[in-house]
Amino acid sequence: MRPLIVTYAWLLTRLPEAFARLNAAVLGEVLWLLRGKLIRRNLARAFPDKDAAWVRRIGRASCRRTAEMGLFSIASPLMAETEIRDRVVVDESMTGAEHGLPPKGTGAVLFVPHFALMEMMTAATLIRPELSKREWVVIYRPLDQPAAERWVKEARERFGMKLASRRDGFARSMKAVREGHVAAILFDQTTQSGSIWQFMGAPCAVTELPGIIAQRFRCPSRIFWSERTGFWRCRLRMEALQANDAIGLTIESNAWLERQLRSGDDACANWLWAHDRWKHGGHPFKKLGE
C-alpha cells in the first residue's frame, strides 16, 4: 500500500497543478455520489430558504474541497518547505496580543472547525517558528488503513505538532495545557456523547470537551481555522473566545461557526457538510447547561 501512496504523492507534487485539481474534481464527484443524500439533507435543514439548485452547487463544491484537503494530506510529505511556505499564510491575528496565543508558559485551548484545507494548519509552526516554542497536541481520529494512517500521521507531525488519538487524547491534551502548551480540538464533529444544542436552527449533539479543558485550567481559548484562498492555498487565522466556562465556550464557538456558514456561499462551501452533524439531535441527551 505504501508504494502506491508514495507514487500517487509523487504524481500530485511533480505534475502540473492541473493534475491535482482534476483529481480533486473527480474524487469530489465520487464523494457527492456516495454522500450526496446526507449533504443535501444537511444543507436543506440549515438553509431552508435556499432552493435545490443552491443546495446542489454548495454541496458539490464542499465535496471537491474535501477531496482537495485529502489530496494535500497525501501530497504534502513530498512538498518542499519552500512550496508549503508559498501556499500557507499565517495571519497576524495568530501572533497579535488580542487574538493570538498567550505568552509562553500559559496554556491554551484551540477550538478547530472542520473547514477545507484544515490539514494545512500543521504548517503554522513552519511559517512562524516562534509558534513552535511550545508543544502542540492535536486530538484526531486514526485512519482504518495502517499504511495510510502512518503516511498521514507523519505528514501532520512533520513540523512539530503531536497527534493524539481520541482514545488517549483527552489526558494528553489536559497535560499539555497544564504544562503551558497548546491543545487543539475539533469542536464540530458528529459526537455520540455530549449535550444537545441548537445549531443552524436544529438540535444537534455538541461536544463540551474543549470547553471543559479550558474551564478546568482557566486558560485562554481561541478559534483556530484555515481560510481557503485558492487550490492548496490558505490563510491561517485565530480569534479569541470571551467565555471562560465550558457551557459558555461551547455556545460561543458554535455561534461563531454559524455566523461563518451564513456569511457567504464561499465560506459555506468550505465546511465539510458530509458529516452527519445532526445525527443525534433527536436522541435523549441532556440539554446543554442542564
Side-chain angles (χ1 to χ4, degrees), residues 15-280:
L15 293 179
E17 189 177 287
F19 175 77
R21 289 174 176 269
L22 176 61
N23 277 253
V26 172
L27 293 174
E29 288 303 306
V30 172
L31 179 58
W32 176 250
L33 289 173
L34 295 175
R35 305 285 286 179
K37 182 178 180 180
L38 170 63
I39 295 169
R40 287 193 296 270
R41 185 172 73 235
N42 285 343
L43 282 165
R45 177 189 284 119
F47 297 94
D49 57 323
K50 300 293 187 180
D51 60 23
W54 182 90
V55 167
R56 186 166 54 252
R57 177 169 59 84
I58 297 299
R60 293 176 70 182
S62 175
C63 287
R64 290 193 300 272
R65 294 178 183 185
T66 300
E68 175 188 344
M69 180 178 68
L71 291 178
F72 180 81
S73 298
I74 296 172
S76 62
L78 299 189
M79 283 185 179
E81 291 185 2
T82 52
E83 182 177 1
I84 293 177
R85 286 193 178 96
D86 183 58
R87 293 178 177 275
V88 181
V89 175
V90 172
D91 190 77
E92 291 302 316
S93 60
M94 288 192 63
T95 55
E98 181 180 2
H99 295 290
L101 291 179
K104 185 180 179 182
T106 301
V109 176
L110 306 184
F111 289 61
V112 179
H114 255 108
F115 280 160
L117 299 185
M118 56 180 285
E119 294 288 343
M120 303 183 86
M121 295 164 67
T122 59
T125 52
L126 168 70
I127 312 302
R128 299 297 289 265
E130 64 269 29
L131 297 175
S132 65
K133 294 180 179 179
R134 65 186 76 197
E135 183 181 75
W136 293 60
V137 175
V138 182
I139 296 180
Y140 83 115
R141 182 175 65 183
L143 301 177
D144 295 330
Q145 213 291 326
E149 161 63 13
R150 286 192 297 271
W151 182 266
V152 172
K153 189 172 187 291
E154 289 169 7
R156 290 169 171 171
E157 294 185 331
R158 179 180 176 184
F159 303 115
M161 293 192 180
K162 302 299 181 184
L163 269 63
S165 71
R166 289 181 176 183
R167 291 184 293 272
D168 59 357
F170 186 66
R172 285 191 61 184
S173 296
M174 288 197 298
K175 181 175 183 293
V177 174
R178 183 174 61 248
E179 295 177 353
H181 300 297
V182 177
I185 305 170
L186 289 163
F187 71 91
D188 58 347
Q189 285 184 304
T190 303
T191 178
Q192 297 183 14
S193 61
S195 302
I196 296 298
W197 186 248
Q198 289 284 324
F199 179 69
M200 300 297 289
C204 74
V206 294
T207 178
E208 298 170 66
L209 173 58
I212 289 172
I213 296 176
Q215 177 180 315
R216 177 166 181 175
F217 296 105
R218 300 179 181 178
C219 68
S221 300
R222 305 285 188 262
I223 298 281
F224 178 36
W225 80 101
S226 61
E227 181 180 79
R228 184 181 182 275
T229 56
F231 188 86
W232 283 356
R233 287 170 175 81
C234 73
R235 177 180 294 273
L236 304 182
R237 302 184 63 185
M238 194 170 281
E239 184 173 322
L241 293 170
Q242 302 304 315
N244 52 27
D245 64 286
I247 295 174
L249 287 166
T250 303
I251 294 172
E252 186 180 358
S253 58
N254 279 277
W256 177 93
L257 180 56
E258 271 201 35
R259 292 194 300 273
Q260 288 290 315
L261 298 180
R262 297 186 188 279
S263 66
D265 289 359
D266 190 66
C268 186
N270 278 339
W271 200 50
L272 277 63
W273 288 94
H275 283 296
D276 197 355
R277 182 78 202 276
W278 291 270
K279 180 178 180 179
H280 301 288

